[in-house]
Amino acid sequence: MAPRKLKENKFYRKAKTKAANIIGDREKMNSLVNASKGKLQTIKFEDSKVHRIAAHLRVIVRMIKAYADGSYRDLPWKSILAMVSSVIYFLMPLDLMPDFIPLTGLLDDFTVIMLVTGAFHQDIEAFLLWEEEKS
């Protein structure tokens, strides 16, 4: 799924609309973070590539949490919108490939995560540096 195809994906567009509506709401952002952590705990990450994608998703979730609590706001609107959208897409049970389909059900979710982490790599690296300096 190329970035242009992502924009054409009606499920991603739906996730993006939801994201735009919750970004300013700390409580909804925290609920999103908690839901994504819960879903991540249910997935077995035996494949090293899947494990790496899950690690990217965990970073995105930490970024959303830091943005929501106000501790990290050095993100352009486009970046936080894409990150929140990707997590919402990940949580949607019915999307391009419904999650109940074994193995392939998460393929599109992980593709979206990979596209977002690739497109906003600099913002993610800056956040990781901020986290490192903070601790």
Side-chain angles (χ1 to χ4, degrees):
M1 189 181 317
R4 190 169 87 209
K5 292 286 184 191
L6 186 59
K7 291 177 185 177
E8 296 169 6
N9 179 328
K10 71 178 181 177
F11 299 104
Y12 183 76
R13 286 195 316 265
K14 184 177 178 181
K16 195 171 178 181
T17 299
K18 284 183 179 182
N21 290 322
I22 71 163
I23 287 176
D25 187 323
R26 183 178 183 172
E27 189 174 309
K28 288 181 181 178
M29 294 275 279
N30 284 327
S31 292
L32 180 71
V33 165
N34 292 333
S36 61
K37 287 179 180 179
K39 185 171 179 179
L40 274 166
Q41 289 177 348
T42 67
I43 301 169
K44 294 182 181 180
F45 298 104
E46 296 165 2
D47 183 287
S48 63
K49 289 181 183 177
V50 173
H51 184 72
R52 189 172 60 232
I53 295 166
H56 289 294
L57 181 56
R58 286 184 184 97
V59 171
I60 289 172
V61 169
R62 290 196 316 268
M63 289 177 78
I64 292 170
K65 183 173 179 13
Y67 187 90
D69 70 22
S71 62
Y72 187 79
R73 289 294 178 116
D74 195 19
L75 281 170
W77 170 254
K78 187 176 180 180
S79 298
I80 192 65
L81 180 63
M83 290 177 195
V84 171
S85 300
S86 69
V87 172
I88 290 171
Y89 190 91
F90 170 70
L91 293 172
M92 293 170 70
L94 297 175
D95 48 35
L96 193 59
M97 295 176 151
D99 293 349
F100 61 81
I101 300 172
L103 300 174
T104 58
L106 293 173
L107 184 62
D108 65 317
D109 298 353
F110 289 152
T111 300
V112 168
I113 298 300
M114 291 292 291
L115 290 171
V116 168
T117 56
F120 299 98
H121 180 74
Q122 289 179 322
D123 293 326
I124 292 169
E125 288 299 317
F127 174 77
L128 290 171
L129 182 61
W130 173 80
E131 269 189 327
E132 190 176 303
E133 291 173 351
K134 186 179 79 160
S135 40

